């Protein structure tokens, strides 16, 4: 048995060792329906509708089971699958295929599901790519009903195995996790996939992005993985197993220490306070953020309320949703970002013509300007909800000062309307912008003459500064958070905000990465917003460093010409002050 190690993308922390179990998740639906036969339209249409109803009942039961065991956030995964079943556009396409005649219900279902799966799977946006698995999961559930297959029969019956698959769909994974599978390794997936979320909720170590893993394992092999580093070993030797045992013991002690201090302020060794906030998508995330020790919400991504709804949410629905989050987070502040839609994210009711380059097209604030009715409704809702606690309003992807002025004018219009209508609201909500476009970064001093604060969205800023699509694996070296041009851009923004006496935060993934934390604090950033699970870790890193030393390092980094040189410099320092961070962040 040949031994080897491969590195993938860490998605759920922890160490697992077990025998290989090859899971068939991600099967091509079309191959399963090749030999099905068609009856008349009415018969096939009734079969399809019956399968959808039965699948919905199964999912409803699953929602309640998951809610009781894990909570609302995880239950929402399967609630979103019920929404897919009820999607009128999907149903319409399947009916049209059947009406042409000579096609079975199974083939109509497989055709439409595979089409939407491919569309989402090729999306630029990571969140939408991750939703492709949900589409396939719903399709597989309905198809199993049509074929009279027992889905559970395909699930492992043995414990203490590591599931290895091309991709694991959420419901199949849930079955595996319930049977105490030790870990999960997949070829395809992402940190934002629902499968990854379930692994983290159950505390199951998982690694994805392990290229062609199915071709490299056999039944009977032993496989080990470290879900914190992304390392995967097939047939590991005693030396590797001993090392993994040592890591497991060390991390257990470390997590206990981080958890014991998560609600304390993050102070550097030279007593500089760094505020650590959380990025959230839905109300349920707010409770998780408070429990993790977040000092506020630095980014409330409101577009997910639209993406998961059958119709555009009205003003009252939005007021209720925003108020719930604000009250949960109070007395700490909640920063609410207006719709960051467009590109590949477009809910029903906001459709626009397909664009050749959507990420340089009609998206975010640009789309909001094209739909002033939707834009103003959201602004009114935020202003009304803000009466419940400290709130900030933030616009995404602002490019020009004129855009910022225009957006602020709409805020003022909304305030006047609410006053005339005698509706309670907060007229003093601070209004800021995301710095994601180089043009906005270059004009930061003029922007700060209009805005009350800024938040640097590094995910988009890096790809626009470097002209490198962050979803393209061939450009991974160019999409570099520590590239000199990126650091200089961030420094320019921080200096401009400081000169104007305005607050500036960072809310992209860079703020959650250990080397990113070191560089950002050295560049003068004093407020970070990260995923809730990263809050205790980021606070721990901050307590390990000296702000004065990070400032000196940042000055040195800005004199270097290579992102690789900068990364090595910061990595060497991290190994001196917080070597544990590399394993858990």
């Amino acid at each position: 048995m040949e031994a080897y190690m491969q590195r993938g993308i860490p998605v759920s922390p922890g160490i697992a060792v077990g025998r290989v179990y090859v899971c068939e998740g991600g099967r091509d639906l079309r191959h399963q329906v090749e030999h099905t036969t068609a009856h008349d339209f009415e018969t096939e249409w009734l079969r399809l509708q019956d399968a959808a109803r039965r699948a919905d009942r199964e999912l409803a039961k699953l929602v309640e089971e998951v809610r009781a065991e894990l909570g609302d956030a995880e239950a929402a995964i399967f609630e979103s699958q019920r929404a897919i079943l009820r999607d009128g556009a999907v149903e319409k396409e399947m009916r049209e295929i059947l009406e042409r005649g000579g096609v079975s219900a199974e083939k109509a279902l497989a055709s439409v599901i595979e089409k939407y799966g491919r569309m989402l799977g090729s999306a630029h946006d990571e969140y939408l790519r991750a939703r492709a698995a949900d589409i396939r999961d719903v399709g597989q559930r309905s198809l199993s009903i049509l074929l009279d297959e027992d889905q559970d029969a395909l699930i492992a019956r043995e414990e203490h195995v590591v599931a290895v698959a091309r991709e694991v769909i959420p419901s199949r994974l849930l079955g595996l996790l319930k049977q105490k599978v030790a870990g999960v390794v997949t070829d395809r997936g992402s940190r934002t996939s629902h499968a990854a979320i379930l692994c983290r909720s159950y505390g199951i170590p998982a690694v994805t992005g392990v290229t062609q893993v199915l071709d490299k394992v056999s039944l009977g092999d032993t496989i080990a993985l470290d879900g914190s580093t992304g390392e995967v070993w097939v047939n590991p030797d005693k030396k590797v197993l001993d090392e993994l045992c040592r890591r497991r013991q060390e991390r257990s002690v470390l997590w206990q220490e981080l958890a014991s201090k998560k609600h304390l302020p993050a102070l550097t060794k030279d007593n500089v306070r760094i505020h650590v906030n959380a990025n959230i998508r839905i109300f349920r995330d707010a409770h998780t953020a408070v429990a993790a020790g977040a000092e506020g919400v630095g980014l409330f991504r409101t577009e997910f309320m639209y993406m998961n709804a059958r119709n555009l949410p009205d003003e009252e629905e939005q007021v209720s949703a925003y108020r719930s989050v604000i009250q949960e987070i109070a007395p700490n502040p909640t920063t609410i970002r207006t719709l960051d839609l467009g590109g590949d994210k477009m809910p029903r009711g906001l459709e626009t013509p397909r664009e050749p380059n959507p990420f340089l097209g009609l998206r975010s604030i640009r789309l909001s300007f094209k739909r002033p009715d939707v834009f103003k409704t959201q602004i009114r809702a935020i202003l009304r909800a803000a009466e419940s606690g400290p709130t900030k309003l933030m616009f995404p992807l602002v490019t020009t000062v004129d855009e910022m002025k225009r957006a602020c004018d709409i805020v003022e219009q909304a305030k006047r309307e609410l006053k005339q209508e005698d509706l309670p609201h907060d007229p003093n909500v601070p209004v800021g912008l995301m710095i994601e476009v180089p043009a906005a970064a270059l004009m930061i001093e003029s922007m700060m003459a209009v805005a009350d604060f800024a938040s640097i969205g590094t995910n988009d800023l890096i790809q626009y500064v470097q002209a490198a699509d962050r979803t393209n694996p061939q450009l991974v070296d160019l999409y570099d958070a520590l590239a000199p041009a990126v650091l200089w851009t961030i420094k320019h923004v921080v200096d401009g905000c400081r000169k104007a006496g305005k607050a500036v935060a960072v809310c992209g993934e860079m703020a959650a990465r250990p080397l990113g934390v070191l560089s950002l604090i050295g560049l003068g950033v004093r407020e970070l917003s990260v995923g809730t699970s990263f809050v205790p870790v980021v606070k721990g890193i901050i307590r390990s460093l000296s702000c004065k030393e990070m400032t000196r390092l940042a000055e040195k980094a800005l004199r270097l010409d290579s992102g690789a040189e900068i990364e090595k410099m910061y990595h060497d320092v991290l190994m001196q002050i917080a070597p544990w961070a590399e394993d858990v962040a």
Side-chain angles (χ1 to χ4, degrees), residues 286-469:
H287 178 75
T288 306
V290 173
E295 300 169 275
V297 167
L299 174 62
F300 181 1
R301 297 181 170 104
T302 59
E303 56 272 10
F304 292 98
M305 184 192 314
Y306 289 71
M307 295 297 295
N308 294 328
R310 299 192 70 180
N311 300 301
L312 296 179
D314 62 26
E315 185 172 319
E316 296 304 323
E317 289 177 284
Q318 293 185 61
V319 171
S320 176
Y322 303 150
R323 182 179 288 141
S324 296
V325 170
I326 292 166
Q327 290 175 338
E328 181 73 24
I329 298 300
N332 291 321
T334 297
T335 302
I336 304 178
R337 182 179 70 185
T338 59
L339 294 177
D340 186 15
L341 289 167
D344 292 305
K345 291 182 285 187
M346 195 64 70
R348 190 177 305 169
L350 278 175
E351 297 89 350
T352 60
R354 192 167 182 82
E355 298 177 284
N357 194 341
F359 276 76
L360 293 178
L362 191 63
R363 58 173 293 214
S364 304
I365 192 76
R366 303 166 187 177
L367 177 63
S368 293
F369 286 144
K370 291 291 184 181
R371 288 295 304 269
D373 54 330
V374 175
F375 193 28
K376 188 182 286 186
T377 295
Q378 183 176 33
I379 290 172
R380 283 170 55 98
I382 294 170
L383 293 173
R384 290 176 59 191
E387 194 192 29
S388 303
T391 307
K392 298 179 182 180
L393 190 160
M394 182 165 67
F395 301 117
L397 209 77
V398 174
T399 303
T400 68
V401 177
D402 285 341
E403 281 183 338
M404 189 61 196
K405 289 179 178 178
R406 183 179 174 186
C408 288
D409 286 344
I410 296 173
V411 173
E412 294 304 315
Q413 292 171 21
K415 290 179 185 177
R416 289 194 294 270
E417 290 176 5
L418 293 171
K419 185 176 181 180
Q420 291 170 1
E421 296 167 28
D422 200 26
L423 287 172
H425 65 286
D426 183 355
N428 300 311
V429 172
V431 178
L433 76 157
M434 296 275 289
I435 301 295
E436 302 167 281
V437 182
L442 289 170
M443 295 296 292
I444 190 63
E445 290 188 24
S446 297
M447 286 289 188
M448 288 299 98
V450 182
D452 297 314
F453 68 93
S455 186
I456 302 172
T458 53
N459 296 356
D460 272 336
L461 183 64
I462 294 167
Q463 74 172 350
Y464 290 141
V465 168
Q466 296 291 102
D469 180 356

Side-chain angles (χ1 to χ4, degrees), residues 1-6 16-21 162 164 185 210 213-225 231-242 244:
M1 294 185 294
E2 186 179 352
Y4 79 95
M5 190 277 279
Q6 187 172 347
V17 180
R19 287 180 296 101
V20 167
Y21 168 71
V162 173
V164 180
V185 177
V210 184
V213 64
L214 287 174
D215 298 332
K216 299 170 183 175
V217 297
S218 303
L219 289 177
D221 282 346
T222 296
I223 189 167
L225 66 134
E231 294 166 296
V232 175
W233 296 264
V234 175
N235 298 318
D237 58 23
K238 184 178 184 300
K239 182 179 179 182
V240 169
L241 293 175
D242 288 345
L244 291 177

